[in-house]
Amino acid sequence: MLQKRQSMRHLPASFSLAGYEELIHDIVKNGHNVVYLYDFSGIYFYAVRGFRADNEWLIIFGRGGVMETAFPPDNMDEYLATRGFVLLGRVEEVMRWTREAHN
């Protein structure tokens, strides 16, 4: 995935895999970032939207929490709207709901 982001010029060629993983980690762990639900023909994906290094990124997760992709759409709002992403709330809220549901 790193090579794809570099070839698309989302990240510089010098960017390391560790740096890419850190970028993803920072966005997902930021409680103020927002979480979306995406229904793709009955298959549910979750996405976290957040800023890193002056770019707005979208991190998408599939079944079992496996990361599918992470990229900065050219127009985030348009990307989310045209694909029918549904806002669930901030990361901190979604995590709180998850913990409460399992207690």
Side-chain angles (χ1 to χ4, degrees):
M1 274 191 266
L2 174 62
Q3 292 82 12
K4 181 176 182 178
R5 296 299 146 219
Q6 290 168 325
S7 70
M8 296 184 77
R9 300 181 194 254
H10 295 154
L11 295 169
S14 61
F15 215 78
S16 69
L17 180 58
Y20 186 51
E21 290 171 348
E22 181 180 331
L23 178 148
I24 293 163
H25 180 265
D26 289 350
I27 291 170
V28 171
K29 291 293 185 174
N30 183 330
H32 297 288
N33 287 336
V34 291
V35 179
Y36 292 86
L37 173 67
Y38 174 53
D39 180 351
F40 181 75
S41 300
I43 300 171
Y44 295 111
F45 294 86
Y46 295 89
V48 179
R49 174 184 185 174
F51 280 92
R52 176 75 194 276
D54 296 329
N55 284 321
E56 192 171 22
W57 286 76
L58 190 64
I59 318 299
I60 301 177
F61 297 90
R63 285 186 92 136
V66 175
M67 190 192 78
E68 297 287 331
T69 190
F71 65 103
D74 290 331
N75 183 325
M76 180 70 77
D77 291 330
E78 180 181 305
Y79 183 89
L80 296 171
T82 59
R83 288 162 179 81
F85 280 76
V86 176
L87 177 65
L88 296 179
R90 298 200 177 278
V91 169
E92 60 194 8
E93 295 168 333
V94 172
M95 294 306 295
R96 185 175 59 245
W97 299 332
T98 302
R99 283 190 298 272
E100 290 171 0
H102 287 95
N103 287 333

